[in-house]
């Protein structure tokens, strides 16, 4: 699965997703652009899922018709992400075009 990490997420997340092809927004050339443009470019580049912490994306964009899956996570600190890496991987496996999945931090 080809995964795009939104530009607010650490590139170190790649180590948590070893069975996926993971790119940062900067590496993909999508830094500094609007969410709508990032989504269009990600679809054009063949990404399957965008991982983001931007909770506003579902309200700002028509994701159901977007042609790409979304996984929303609660933190951008790698040490705080690690405890729910398994849940993140499961969400990526379930994500399909137009679907928005939320991963919760452990309590």
């Amino acid at each position: 699965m080809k995964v795009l990490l939104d530009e607010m997420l650490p590139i170190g997340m790649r180590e948590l997703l070893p069975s996926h092809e993971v790119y940062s927004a900067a590496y993909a050339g999508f830094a500094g652009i609007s969410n709508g443009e990032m989504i269009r470019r990600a679809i054009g580049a063949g990404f399957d899922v965008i991982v983001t912490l931007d909770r506003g994306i579902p309200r700002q964009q028509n994701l159901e018709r977007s042609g790409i899956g979304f996984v929303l996570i609660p933190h951008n600190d790698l040490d705080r992400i690690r405890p729910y890496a398994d849940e993140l991987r499961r969400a990526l496996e379930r994500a399909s075009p137009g679907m928005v999945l939320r991963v919760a931090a452990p309590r």
Side-chain angles (χ1 to χ4, degrees), residues 55-95:
R55 297 273 187 244
I57 283 185
R59 290 185 306 278
Q60 298 165 355
Q61 307 293 323
N62 184 0
L63 302 182
E64 292 78 26
R65 297 178 185 244
S66 68
I68 194 166
F70 290 83
V71 175
L72 303 177
I73 63 172
H75 303 290
N76 64 351
D77 179 292
L78 190 56
D79 289 333
R80 293 179 76 182
I81 296 168
R82 277 190 179 92
Y84 58 87
D86 287 340
E87 186 178 348
L88 173 59
R89 286 188 288 271
R90 284 190 296 273
L92 287 172
E93 294 302 322
R94 291 189 354 249

Side-chain angles (χ1 to χ4, degrees), residues 24-50:
S24 69
Y27 186 82
F30 304 158
I33 60 175
S34 70
N35 286 337
E37 183 63 21
M38 177 188 64
I39 293 167
R40 282 188 288 283
R41 289 187 188 185
I43 292 167
F47 284 94
D48 300 297
V49 178
I50 295 174

Side-chain angles (χ1 to χ4, degrees), residues 2-6 11 14 21-28 47:
K2 192 171 179 182
V3 178
L4 178 65
L5 301 177
D6 198 0
I11 189 60
R14 292 180 70 195
E21 188 179 346
V22 181
Y23 296 86
S24 69
Y27 186 82
F47 284 94

